[in-house]
Amino acid sequence: MKKNLLFILLTALLGVVGCTKDDNFLSKDPTDILLDDQVWKDSTIVLAVVADMYDRYPDFQTIENWGDFTAFDEAFASEAGSYWRHHDRYYGYGSWGSWNYGYVRELNLFLEKCAKADKLTETAKTRLSSEVRFLRAVAYFDMVKRMGGVPLILESMTYDYKNDPTYLRRPRAKESEIYDFVIKELDEIKNLLPDAVNIKSRATKWAVLAVQARAALYAGSIAKYGSTLPQVSLPGGEVGIPAAMATGYYTKALAAAEEIIKSNAYSLYQRKANLSENFSSLFTDKNSNPEAIFVKDFKLQSGKVQGWTLANQPRTSAEEQQGGRLNPSLNLVQSFELLDNTFAPFVTNTTDGNYVYYTSPVDIFAGRDARLAGTVILPGTEFKNKKVDIYGGIVKKDGSIVSGDAFGKVVDVDGARVQVIGVDGPVDRLEFGAQTGFFVRKYMDPTTGSGQIGTQSDVWWIRYRYAEVLLNAAEAAFELGNTGTAATYMNQVRARAGLVKALQPGEINFNRIVHERKVELAFEGHELWDYKRWRIAHKVWNGQAGDLTTDIGNATASSTRVFGLVPYKVYNPGDPTNGKWVFRKIKPAEVTEPHEFRLGNYYSFIDDNIRNNNPLIVKNPNQ
């Protein structure tokens, strides 16, 4: 019997698996190598092949690679081996690149084999092939947002060993043609897949629509805002989309998002009275979560776990002697607006330059969007029922600061033994502490054992959720001139965060669109792609070593370096200020270079080997 290399490799990894529920089918172990005809007579084995394809779903920033969230302005990397992220001024032209045709070929080959499989039921063939078409559409969406137009290959390509491979060469499609393929492919399969909301880690009708809404929104904004930056285009359309196509894409994005919204299949997660706790629980609650649409799931004691909590836990609640790596920036923290819908920096000093005193370190953050404390572990708050201990030193009566070089440092101060550094830091340049004054809260697992090397966490990674669908609909409606609809959808998301003063249609503008996505979707892998599609990345990360912006609501305000906000405890026995708290804005010493996003970064570099092997592939612009 002829062996098929694809399935030898895949089934070597996956093996024969038993029947399994939809959300557990990814956690199976390999056992054997199978022949081609053995695979295609058993739907369970074919499902194992599909499971492997799901496991290679293309992601960029996720809870499995915390360091990628420190590449821009959301966070500081409190790990010595990652400080380079704040030393490098430029992003490489090859950053974020992908030429994932090995994966595409396997998806195409699966579809060809599945169509000929006469031992499978038509029901099984329809669902499995539709899932693989979904994954193929996702793969092309992932490549087009990184590379621009890529060769559109929809069949397995096999070399005939006749010493002339030129027939395998394909030119790059137009960027618009790839987006059109993705949108059309998703249209064709959406009604062939289950519409069950309890299926979270496999393709459903709703996952298809969520991907379609995001992809069409990206295409629409590239068409509209790309016209403001014509240098980032190619004459053949491989990069850049004509402005005249924007309305069509926005219309499709709104239609796809509203099909989800009007179905009432999903809703915003609202299970806890405390709005900050409610927001953080959204990402960890896997019990019939009404907001999660499509996820990458994990399962304890299966070998399929993730270490986000292990890597980022505060020392005060750490279950291992590590953690604290991802420190959210003051740049992000100050973006969470006041409850009256206004923006303001945190008040650290009076108009005459003296400190403002706070009774508790958490008081400076009062009266803000509840998503702040649901996204960031703030000084004075708790994780795993233990209060974090974040402060950078003590301030004496004469204004001098006493600090130290170790977590929880205790020294002699005027004849008394005094702790002068929080157990969680910060100590500048000392890794695993809160060097910006903050730890990450989003996706942190509150269960016992989640911070242990031998256990870790099975909190899932949510790729698509209902709040993003609402924001996608709001943005598309805004771009189509329907600010009333945009306000309706945006206000739903904001109300969940405690912002009960509804925005009026006339208040919906580009700055509001950008801001709402920034705070709602922080640490979910959206910032880079959003700034690229809006063509503002080179304006925000412009290489200028300026101070922290005070123009907080401005979408294009420069934000090139990571800042922090560190509390200090007042030490002045006998004085009313004793034990109170003051704050200082800081820039970690390891932040040495401002980030600069160049025009050549809008589309990633296509490797020289790829272009040498296929001269039909044109180079991306500005590189």
Side-chain angles (χ1 to χ4, degrees):
M1 291 177 286
K2 183 179 179 181
K3 296 183 178 182
N4 179 280
L5 179 60
L6 165 65
F7 293 110
I8 291 174
L9 293 174
L10 293 181
T11 54
L13 292 170
L14 293 164
V16 181
V17 299
C19 295
T20 175
K21 293 192 296 184
D22 280 311
D23 285 339
N24 293 329
F25 87 117
L26 294 177
S27 54
K28 298 300 178 183
D29 296 323
T31 59
D32 203 1
I33 295 175
L34 299 176
L35 303 177
D36 199 37
D37 61 347
Q38 291 177 291
V39 171
W40 288 104
K41 68 180 182 182
D42 189 328
S43 60
T44 302
I45 300 174
V46 178
L47 180 61
V49 175
V50 176
D52 176 71
M53 292 175 174
Y54 271 105
D55 206 44
R56 289 181 288 153
Y57 183 104
D59 282 310
F60 172 48
Q61 293 168 306
T62 77
I63 50 177
E64 295 181 273
N65 54 352
W66 67 268
D68 282 338
F69 287 105
T70 68
F72 306 103
D73 65 342
E74 284 185 321
F76 174 80
S78 186
E79 179 189 70
S82 295
Y83 288 154
W84 61 268
R85 296 178 182 275
H86 310 288
H87 300 169
D88 290 352
R89 179 187 183 94
Y90 300 110
Y91 300 103
Y93 289 139
S95 299
W96 325 303
S98 175
W99 202 260
N100 204 2
Y101 281 98
Y103 184 49
V104 168
R105 182 180 188 275
E106 292 180 17
L107 296 168
N108 287 334
L109 189 57
F110 179 95
L111 292 171
E112 294 168 3
K113 295 283 186 179
C114 189
K116 299 175 182 178
D118 56 6
K119 299 294 192 298
L120 300 181
T121 67
E122 288 302 315
T123 299
K125 288 169 64 174
T126 297
R127 181 174 183 185
L128 293 171
S129 62
S130 297
E131 288 184 88
V132 171
R133 289 176 70 184
F134 168 79
L135 292 173
R136 185 174 63 178
V138 165
Y140 274 108
F141 179 30
D142 180 69
M143 284 196 287
V144 73
K145 72 184 184 183
R146 297 170 186 254
M147 316 302 297
V150 293
L152 183 57
I153 300 171
L154 303 180
E155 71 278 354
S156 63
M157 300 174 69
T158 304
Y159 181 46
D160 60 12
Y161 298 98
K162 294 181 179 178
N163 298 319
D164 182 14
T166 57
Y167 71 97
L168 295 173
R169 293 172 177 167
R170 303 287 177 84
R172 296 174 66 180
K174 293 180 179 180
E175 186 170 13
S176 61
E177 290 172 339
I178 299 298
Y179 277 107
D180 290 344
F181 163 74
V182 171
I183 292 167
K184 181 175 182 291
E185 186 80 343
L186 296 174
D187 259 337
E188 291 180 359
I189 64 173
K190 69 180 181 182
N191 292 320
L192 301 177
L193 288 163
D195 62 0
V197 297
N198 61 309
I199 298 174
K200 304 290 189 184
S201 61
R202 294 178 69 177
T204 63
K205 174 181 180 178
W206 312 117
V208 167
L209 286 166
V211 174
Q212 189 179 63
R214 187 190 291 180
L217 187 67
Y218 278 30
S221 49
I222 290 167
K224 177 178 179 178
Y225 297 103
S227 65
T228 68
L229 203 63
Q231 312 90 298
V232 184
S233 64
L234 288 172
E238 297 89 352
V239 167
I241 300 176
M245 301 178 73
T247 296
Y249 287 127
Y250 285 132
T251 300
K252 187 62 182 178
L254 181 58
E258 287 193 323
E259 190 167 349
I260 299 173
I261 294 166
K262 293 178 181 179
S263 74
N264 295 315
Y266 296 90
S267 62
L268 294 173
Y269 182 94
Q270 298 185 83
R271 290 181 173 174
K272 294 191 175 184
N274 183 299
L275 298 182
S276 295
E277 292 180 5
N278 181 75
F279 190 67
S280 63
S281 294
L282 151 64
F283 300 95
T284 61
D285 185 355
K286 296 165 66 172
N287 181 25
S288 300
N289 189 314
E291 187 162 340
I293 297 174
F294 181 57
V295 310
K296 179 176 182 179
D297 207 358
F298 300 88
K299 187 175 182 180
L300 294 177
Q301 300 178 337
S302 70
K304 194 174 181 65
V305 293
Q306 49 86 3
W308 179 262
T309 304
L310 173 66
N312 297 308
Q313 59 193 335
R315 298 181 68 83
T316 41
S317 56
E319 296 173 292
E320 301 281 359
Q321 288 301 304
Q322 60 172 289
R325 288 170 170 84
L326 188 66
N327 296 174
S329 67
L330 177 56
N331 315 47
L332 172 66
V333 170
Q334 73 172 6
S335 298
F336 291 84
E337 66 198 278
L338 298 169
L339 294 179
D340 63 359
N341 299 349
T342 62
F343 301 95
F346 294 102
V347 180
T348 60
N349 296 89
T350 62
T351 54
D352 56 4
N354 294 319
Y355 285 124
V356 173
Y357 294 93
Y358 292 92
T359 301
S360 166
V362 77
D363 290 347
I364 195 173
F365 308 104
R368 299 235 171 195
D369 183 334
R371 290 171 292 191
L372 171 55
T375 303
V376 177
I377 297 176
L378 303 168
T381 62
E382 295 183 350
F383 180 64
K384 291 188 176 180
N385 297 316
K386 294 182 179 178
K387 184 172 287 188
V388 294
D389 189 33
I390 299 173
Y391 64 98
I394 63 170
V395 179
K396 297 176 65 177
K397 180 179 181 179
D398 61 3
S400 62
I401 292 175
V402 180
S403 189
D405 58 1
F407 300 124
K409 183 82 169 183
V410 176
V411 301
D412 287 318
V413 178
D414 299 334
R417 297 291 289 170
V418 179
Q419 180 183 332
V420 296
I421 291 286
V423 172
D424 291 309
V427 178
D428 204 18
R429 289 196 164 105
L430 183 58
E431 63 181 351
F432 307 148
Q435 290 193 60
T436 63
F438 310 108
F439 294 115
V440 68
R441 179 68 184 86
K442 188 175 279 188
Y443 281 111
M444 292 288 285
D445 188 345
T447 60
T448 301
S450 61
Q452 294 178 352
I453 293 173
T455 305
Q456 300 188 56
S457 175
D458 66 355
V459 164
W460 56 20
W461 169 247
I462 303 177
R463 290 170 169 141
Y464 288 84
R465 61 186 178 93
Y466 185 62
E468 187 210 339
V469 172
L470 289 170
L471 293 182
N472 290 346
E475 182 179 344
F478 163 72
E479 296 291 3
L480 292 169
N482 192 342
T483 55
T485 298
T488 296
Y489 292 140
M490 188 180 290
N491 283 328
Q492 290 178 39
V493 178
R494 292 168 60 81
R496 196 253 302 267
L499 294 156
V500 295
K501 183 180 178 182
L503 292 174
Q504 300 304 306
E507 297 177 285
I508 304 297
N509 53 36
F510 180 72
N511 286 334
R512 276 290 177 189
I513 295 291
V514 173
H515 163 262
E516 203 60 38
R517 291 182 70 87
K518 182 174 185 177
V519 295
E520 175 70 26
L521 303 174
F523 302 118
E524 297 183 51
H526 290 270
E527 184 184 49
L528 171 63
W529 313 116
D530 281 346
Y531 284 19
K532 276 161 54 77
R533 67 184 174 90
W534 290 323
R535 298 297 195 254
I536 63 173
H538 69 291
K539 297 179 180 180
V540 175
W541 304 312
N542 60 16
Q544 296 179 11
D547 203 350
L548 181 71
T549 183
T550 57
D551 193 7
I552 299 170
N554 184 348
T556 58
S558 175
S559 182
T560 63
R561 299 185 298 172
V562 170
F563 289 85
L565 184 68
V566 177
Y568 290 79
K569 186 181 290 187
V570 176
Y571 183 77
N572 191 4
D575 189 89
T577 62
N578 187 55
K580 291 188 180 295
W581 298 85
V582 298
F583 286 81
R584 299 177 69 200
K585 184 188 72 176
I586 59 96
K587 180 179 69 65
E590 290 293 343
V591 179
T592 60
E593 288 288 338
H595 287 148
E596 183 168 351
F597 187 101
R598 295 168 289 174
L599 295 185
N601 292 125
Y602 274 104
Y603 293 91
S604 295
F605 180 76
I606 300 173
D607 190 84
D608 288 337
N609 289 331
I610 293 171
R611 292 186 293 109
N612 290 338
N613 290 331
N614 183 0
L616 300 178
I617 300 296
V618 298
K619 189 176 181 179
N620 272 333
N622 306 301
Q623 296 174 355

